[in-house]
Amino acid sequence: MRSTKRDGLAGPIPSPNIWYWPHLYEIENRAQDVDGVVFDTLAELVDWRGRDVLDVGCGAGFHLPRFAEAARSVVGVEPHLPLVAAARERVEGWASVSVLPGSAEAVPLPDGSIDVVHARTAYFFGPGCGPGIREAMRVLRPGGVLAIVDLDATVAPYGTWMRADLPHYDPVAVESFFAAQGFAMQRARTRWEFEDREALRSVLGIEFSARTATRAFTEVTGLGLEVGYRIHTRSAPNGLIL
C-alpha cells in the first residue's frame, strides 16, 4: 500500500500484492530477511522497548508480534479491511496490541501518543508521501522516531528486476528526497530463503510483471536471493521541507 495523492485527492493506492494475494504475501513475509538483519539494524537505530509503537500499513500484521515482544503497546493501522481482520486474528490474545482501520494520511490516534512509527515497504516512495510524513509527525511524541523501511533498488538482483518494471523509479532521487526532509539513512543487505522453487515462483509472480517474474525465476538457481533495504529515520518534532 502506497500513500500518495492522485488527482488532488489523498488516499491509499491498492497494493498489487498483499491486497489481492494475501496467502502468497504471507509466504513472502516468511521468506524475507531470514537472518533478521533488518530488525537487528532497526533496533540499533530505534529503541522501542517499553514504548508505544505504531505500524502504518501493517497489512496482515506480520510484524506486530515482533514489536509486541518488547514494546509497551503496539497499534497496527491498515486501510484494507480484509487485512485489518487478518491482523486482528493474528494478534488475538496479545493484550498490548490493537489493529485499527485507517490510512497513512489519517491515522486514528491522538496527537503525541506514539514513540515509534514504523512503515515497512508500505507507502513511502519519496515525493508525494508528504501527507503521510506529516501525519506520522503529528502522532509522535517529542523525541519520537519515524522509521521508514523500503527496498533498495540499487542492490541486485531484486533491485534490477524492480527497476526493469519501474523504469521511471529513481532510487537516488528518493534518497535525496528523504535527506532533504532531515532523515538519516542506513542500508541493510538481507537474504530471502524460500521453502521450495514453487514458493519462489509464486512470490515473484505477485511482485513483478509476468515478463520480469519469468526472468527473475530463471536467474535464481536455488532457493535464496539477496535483497537490499534502506532504513530512513527521523526524530520529531522538526520543520519539514515538503
Side-chain angles (χ1 to χ4, degrees), residues 9-10 40 62 64-65 72 76 94 97 104 111 121 152 155 169 174 184 203:
L9 297 175
D40 288 347
F62 188 81
L64 299 180
R72 175 170 54 195
W94 289 82
V97 185
D111 296 357
T121 58
D152 187 347
V155 177
Y169 179 78
V174 172
V203 168

Side-chain angles (χ1 to χ4, degrees), residues 1 15 17-20 22 25-26 29 54-65 75-91 97-102 118-123:
M1 181 269 291
S15 169
N17 43 40
I18 191 171
W19 279 34
Y20 304 117
Y25 201 82
E26 186 72 15
N29 267 328
L54 165 64
D55 188 9
V56 180
C58 70
F62 188 81
H63 297 115
L64 299 180
V75 179
V77 168
E78 167 62 41
H80 192 45
L81 294 182
L83 293 177
V84 171
R88 286 174 172 170
E89 182 177 356
R90 185 190 296 274
V91 299
V97 185
S98 59
V99 182
L100 304 174
H118 168 263
R120 183 172 305 203
T121 58
Y123 60 93

Side-chain angles (χ1 to χ4, degrees), residues 103-159:
S103 68
E105 301 91 345
V107 174
L109 293 174
D111 296 357
S113 58
I114 293 294
D115 298 300
V116 176
V117 176
H118 168 263
R120 183 172 305 203
T121 58
Y123 60 93
F124 288 103
F125 287 76
C129 72
I133 295 176
R134 284 195 292 269
E135 184 70 345
M137 291 295 162
R138 178 187 68 78
V139 301
L140 280 171
R141 297 184 176 112
V145 179
L146 167 59
I148 299 165
V149 183
D150 67 359
L151 293 163
D152 187 347
T154 67
V155 177
Y158 197 96

